[in-house]
Amino acid sequence: MPGRMREVELVEAADEPARSRSAPEPDPGRRVDVELPDDVRAARGWVRRHAPWLVAAVAVVVGSLAGAQLVLDHREDARVAALAAVPGIVPPVDATVGVLWRADPLLAPALRSGAVVDGMLVGGVQDEAGAPAIVGLDPDTGVVAWRTPVDLPTPPRTSPELWNSCSAVPRGGSEVAVCVSQQVGEDVVGIPPSSVWVLDPADGRVLADREVEGGWGLTFSDGALVVARPVTDGGEPARTDAGTVRWQVRADDPVSGQTRWTWTTPPTDTVGREDGPEGATATGTASLETLDDHVVLVVDSHGWVLADDGELLLDVPLDPASWLQPARAGVFVESRWTSSAYSGTLLLADGSRVAIDETASWLAVDDGSAPDVMFTVGQAPGGADGLSGRSARTGQQLWHLDGTIVTSLLLDGTLYVATSDSLVAVDATSGDVHWRTPTDHLPQQLSTDGRYLLLPGLGVTLEAYTLTDGELAWTADLSDEVSDGRSTVLVAGFQSGWHDPRLYVWMDTGAIAVLG
């Protein structure tokens, strides 16, 4: 009933109305009559009646928020873990990044040209006497797990300088390490043969080895060792003074040597035949490389693109001043360089050709998103000028970004571009600019761990920018830690290994400080 008087006892309560400062203090325990406003009585009654429901509702909301955050954290962890398998993605780093381990000048080549194979960093090295070996390292500590001495096919008279490259090649549900070594230097005459060793990454045991003649093409595709060699019309090895040869491309199992497929070119003329047998440059040379699921063979002024099962996809006559480049999505570019400018022709997957005044753009990281878009760059006196996104189906330009382009990478449908004075995030399909962050120095390279864009700063510093808005998240100054007490240190910047995309600093001594 409105206005009804109730008898209550005064107690300490957080939800009581505040007393007037001028009101007299009641005696402890004294009963007084207090008239509660109707709205207060109604609110308190509703709370008492619904208290169990309110407690449950609050618990549900709090639990839902916590659960949602756990789901988001789990998704982000899963995304970063999946990106770890993308070539070029570096291991996660934060502001506490520092030197994990150091490789001395004799061990450093294993990192620069090595590859992580089933968790082991495998690379080629030479000792102080020049003797070659393949080593297996723990990529997180640098501890040498094994060292396997290897022999060159033709022992040189002096200790040669070797170019080494190791790759992870899948085989039978696991991986084998395949290392290729070739002599280089001023004392080397002609094109020396290449040595190929196939090793078990667990213990360094040599599973197979072979020699590939100088000038032959060599690559790896779909778990196979692929070699291009000159042959006669009947498939026999061609003579070194032959004026016309065919090139046989053969894919073999790297361990057993069993042939999986072969493909042979039409007859091709060798360079130098007009000078007679004595002036012929052997039978010419072949360039063979793997690009995604394609094998590309270029001999003199002709190129062929094969599927990874040996099927011929493209047959491309090349001008003397042109070369064949991969783009994306099965598109290739026949590029030319004339008068300080690029020009070329897009070779689309359906066989059509589109003339452009640009060349294919190289991506430091390509996670496969935006699969229907390819990227091209122009050329100016200061460097690569302008970047375009094009339809991989028609070659039509979808968008264009002005500026001197240094490098770029593709992640989750966004193209992150380092220009001469800024970082830019562009929607790879529409060209919409998500954000642009000015930089006070010329970027030397651009890396990512899937969470940040990692940019070498001035001196020996590493800058991390957020992917979402381009804000500077943190900066790590590693000058003292990297120099390790030396008064001076010449740094080639924060490099990223060829097959092992681990950040490292390469010093003037030839040593490497591995970061993480």
Side-chain angles (χ1 to χ4, degrees):
M1 178 182 299
R4 185 167 62 92
M5 303 294 290
R6 295 185 60 194
E7 187 176 72
V8 298
E9 182 175 356
L10 293 178
V11 295
E12 294 290 337
D15 57 354
E16 288 293 340
R19 290 192 298 265
S20 169
R21 292 183 181 274
S22 61
E25 293 289 337
D27 294 335
R30 177 186 175 188
R31 294 183 179 274
V32 297
D33 291 332
V34 178
E35 182 177 357
L36 296 177
D38 292 345
D39 56 348
V40 172
R41 293 202 315 274
R44 289 186 175 181
W46 187 91
V47 169
R48 283 195 298 271
R49 291 193 303 272
H50 296 84
W53 179 86
L54 285 174
V55 171
V58 170
V60 168
V61 171
V62 172
S64 297
L65 291 175
Q69 187 61 49
L70 287 175
V71 170
L72 292 175
D73 290 344
H74 178 73
R75 287 178 179 174
E76 178 63 11
D77 291 343
R79 187 185 73 87
V80 174
L83 288 174
V86 177
I89 300 285
V90 304
V93 294
D94 55 31
T96 64
V97 62
V99 176
L100 288 179
W101 53 276
R102 298 176 185 275
D104 62 33
L106 293 178
L107 194 59
L111 181 66
R112 295 200 299 268
S113 62
V116 174
V117 187
D118 271 354
M120 186 73 69
L121 175 58
V122 181
V125 297
Q126 290 179 266
D127 63 18
E128 294 179 347
I134 310 297
V135 298
L137 311 175
D138 184 322
D140 296 322
T141 65
V143 173
V144 178
W146 49 262
R147 178 185 294 267
T148 302
V150 290
D151 295 322
L152 296 175
T154 304
R157 297 180 179 178
T158 59
S159 298
E161 180 182 354
L162 299 178
W163 175 84
N164 297 307
S165 169
C166 294
S167 304
V169 175
R171 188 175 189 271
S174 60
E175 294 178 329
V176 293
V178 182
C179 296
V180 180
S181 181
Q182 188 177 60
Q183 299 177 40
V184 296
E186 297 179 355
D187 297 334
V188 175
V189 178
I191 304 177
S194 297
S195 300
V196 182
W197 300 286
V198 183
L199 302 97
D200 185 331
D203 55 15
R205 179 167 49 96
V206 176
L207 304 175
D209 65 275
R210 66 179 295 178
E211 179 180 335
V212 176
E213 290 293 332
W216 293 10
L218 172 63
T219 189
F220 307 99
S221 176
D222 192 28
L225 173 65
V226 186
V227 173
R229 63 173 187 146
V231 298
T232 65
D233 291 343
E236 300 297 323
R239 293 173 49 183
T240 58
D241 61 354
T244 300
V245 300
R246 296 175 183 265
W247 285 85
Q248 182 191 74
V249 183
R250 190 175 76 184
D252 296 335
D253 183 282
V255 176
S256 69
Q258 181 179 1
T259 299
R260 297 185 181 178
W261 56 262
T262 61
W263 179 86
T264 305
T265 71
T268 63
D269 293 337
T270 61
V271 175
R273 75 188 189 286
E274 66 277 5
D275 298 324
E278 292 81 13
T281 57
T283 53
T285 60
S287 168
L288 193 66
E289 59 180 328
T290 299
L291 305 166
D292 297 327
D293 54 354
H294 301 95
V295 176
V296 180
L297 171 67
V298 176
V299 177
D300 299 335
S301 58
H302 212 105
W304 298 271
V305 178
L306 309 176
D308 57 12
D309 60 359
E311 178 189 359
L312 177 64
L313 301 177
L314 285 175
D315 184 329
V316 186
L318 299 172
D319 293 332
S322 68
W323 64 96
L324 195 61
Q325 284 186 294
R328 301 183 77 229
V331 178
F332 288 81
V333 182
E334 181 186 352
S335 294
R336 301 177 190 85
W337 173 254
T338 55
S339 303
S340 301
Y342 284 124
S343 63
T345 303
L346 295 179
L347 309 175
L348 304 180
D350 63 0
S352 57
R353 301 165 70 92
V354 178
I356 60 173
D357 58 358
E358 297 177 314
T359 190
S361 176
W362 179 79
L363 298 178
V365 172
D366 185 348
D367 69 345
S369 57
D372 297 325
V373 182
M374 54 163 293
F375 309 102
T376 55
V377 292
Q379 181 69 18
D385 180 44
L387 186 149
S388 299
R390 296 177 179 273
S391 166
R393 183 176 57 84
T394 65
Q396 178 185 3
Q397 185 184 82
L398 303 174
W399 52 265
H400 183 79
L401 178 70
D402 290 325
T404 300
I405 309 301
V406 179
T407 186
S408 57
L409 60 86
L410 181 64
L411 202 62
D412 294 332
T414 299
L415 190 69
Y416 299 95
V417 184
T419 73
S420 59
D421 59 5
S422 63
L423 293 178
V424 189
V426 182
D427 185 284
T429 301
S430 68
D432 293 340
V433 175
H434 297 318
W435 52 259
R436 181 188 295 268
T437 299
T439 56
D440 58 1
H441 56 280
L442 179 68
Q444 298 299 319
Q445 73 171 49
L446 186 62
S447 304
T448 184
D449 64 351
R451 303 177 304 166
Y452 302 108
L453 293 176
L454 302 171
L455 191 71
L458 299 176
V460 192
T461 61
L462 183 64
E463 299 173 351
Y465 296 84
T466 58
L467 297 174
T468 52
D469 56 15
E471 292 294 321
L472 180 63
W474 50 264
T475 300
D477 189 341
L478 299 169
S479 303
D480 294 337
E481 187 173 0
V482 168
S483 65
D484 196 25
R486 296 181 59 201
S487 58
T488 59
V489 56
L490 176 64
V491 180
F494 290 91
Q495 303 298 308
S496 174
W498 180 28
H499 297 294
D500 173 34
R502 195 170 298 269
L503 291 174
Y504 64 81
V505 180
W506 187 4
M507 290 171 283
D508 58 342
T509 61
I512 284 178
V514 181
L515 307 179

